[in-house]
Amino acid sequence: MGRDYYTALEINRNATDADIKKAYRRLALKYHPHSNRQPGACERFRDLAEAYDVLSDLRKKATYDKFGEEGLKGGIPPESAENGAWSQGYVFHGNPEKTFRQFFGGDNPFADFYTADGHEVGIDFGGLRGRGVKKQDPPIERDLHLALEDLFYGCTKKMKISRRVMNEDGHSSSIKDKILSINVKPGWNEGTRITFQKEGDQGPNSIPADIIFIVRQKPHPRFNRQNKDLIYTADISLEMALTGFAVEVETLDGRLLTIPINDIVDPQYSKVVPGEGMPLSSSPSTRGDLIIHFKTHYPEKLTAEKKRLLKQALAT
């Protein structure tokens, strides 16, 4: 009498495709040679693979249900073949690990036992040649683009991520969304790194990666930033550079500063307004400076009379 594939998978003949998959998952994990060193486990593991290979294929299963193992492996005469039944003799490929890897795919709980090309890694008495210990996946880095106002006041950013998480059975996984909350502190600098530990993809053979968000400051229409200081560039005429003027600057918090400039503005000149820059992340009540640079626009041409007057005015 031929073997009973249903008995091998511990299911009855009315089992659905889902029942077959569930049974194979449970028993293959139980009798896998890397988790079960009991006598007979390897043979049992092979029987499970062959049973699943047959019962998970509709044509093979139809032939087996009608003609048994003998008919399945011996081949069915053309006059007996019907309803898509398998008409040639079935031969199991003989590699239970192949069936196992195809079934579990990326969720293979014994993936660390194999090289990239699927060959099994040897085992020493000390264990799996250094590969049995779980290793953490490399960190995942993402840019966090923030406006200068966000870094001035501070804010909360909600970041949605999609990651693979293990299901309750401990073997399969699914993709789920998660919201990560980032509390941006006033004064954070470009390049600040915010780490969420082990929020990457979960897997049976690895430690989830850390997710790291890196602050990237968006360009601002009025200011450039240098650490704790804000840089503002004012456009002025040559007349203003030589005779004095007042420059108006709208701050990040909406105030309008009027700063008198009584000095002669040469190309190296800048005006420092203390305490009007960015807050310090370590001490938000302390602020850097506002530094005003000037871009002087020279006249494109002068009349002879204006040149004469300028020479007269600038003569020492």
Side-chain angles (χ1 to χ4, degrees), residues 22-41:
K22 183 177 179 180
Y24 176 74
R25 176 185 288 110
R26 176 178 61 85
L27 294 171
L29 289 169
K30 179 179 179 180
Y31 288 102
H32 192 285
H34 289 307
S35 63
N36 190 327
R37 301 300 178 87
Q38 298 297 320

Side-chain angles (χ1 to χ4, degrees), residues 144-162:
L144 176 63
H145 295 278
L146 298 172
L148 189 56
E149 286 82 358
D150 293 333
L151 297 167
F152 180 83
Y153 286 108
C155 63
T156 299
K157 293 292 184 180
K158 303 288 187 179
M159 306 299 294
K160 181 180 178 181
I161 63 170
S162 296

Side-chain angles (χ1 to χ4, degrees), residues 3 5 8 24 27 31-33 36-51 92 94 96:
R3 74 185 71 187
Y5 291 137
Y24 176 74
L27 294 171
Y31 288 102
H32 192 285
N36 190 327
R37 301 300 178 87
Q38 298 297 320
C42 289
E43 183 179 353
R44 182 82 166 91
F45 182 65
R46 185 191 183 285
D47 290 343
L48 290 168
E50 182 174 337
F92 179 54

Side-chain angles (χ1 to χ4, degrees), residues 174-208:
S174 55
I175 300 297
K176 292 187 178 180
D177 293 335
K178 184 173 183 178
I179 302 297
L180 301 179
S181 181
I182 301 175
N183 295 318
V184 178
K185 294 183 179 180
W188 270 3
N189 288 307
E190 170 93 7
T192 297
R193 299 167 70 89
I194 307 98
T195 301
F196 291 87
Q197 295 184 343
K198 301 179 182 179
E199 289 291 356
D201 289 342
Q202 297 177 357
N205 306 298
S206 61
I207 300 172

